[in-house]
Amino acid sequence: MDHRTEPPSIRCDAEYAAALEELDRLMLVDPESPAGRRFDELVALIDAWELARERAARAERVSTG
């Protein structure tokens, strides 16, 4: 089965907020279920978004420094 992460990345604050809300709803699901796999996908997407935001903020501080 071809399973693609939707969305493939978080592109804006609204998608980030929606991902956090969905993650909250999935907190107690069976990790081996499709919902559990979705939970793992969301964690990866959220981590990537937060890391990118942190790097951008750090670069901004350095450039305006």
Side-chain angles (χ1 to χ4, degrees):
M1 180 173 144
D2 185 24
H3 189 269
R4 295 187 179 110
T5 304
E6 292 297 326
S9 65
I10 296 174
R11 299 175 297 264
C12 64
D13 289 335
E15 288 180 358
Y16 175 68
L20 289 173
E21 288 177 18
E22 185 178 353
L23 187 71
D24 190 51
R25 290 191 303 273
L26 297 173
M27 291 297 281
L28 299 176
V29 299
D30 175 5
E32 300 302 318
S33 70
R37 289 186 287 281
R38 176 63 178 160
F39 178 90
D40 291 340
E41 291 170 352
L42 286 169
V43 168
L45 288 171
I46 290 166
D47 283 347
W49 171 260
E50 290 175 347
L51 182 60
R53 297 285 297 228
E54 181 181 311
R55 286 181 179 160
R58 192 175 308 132
E60 179 68 23
R61 286 191 302 271
V62 168
S63 68
T64 61

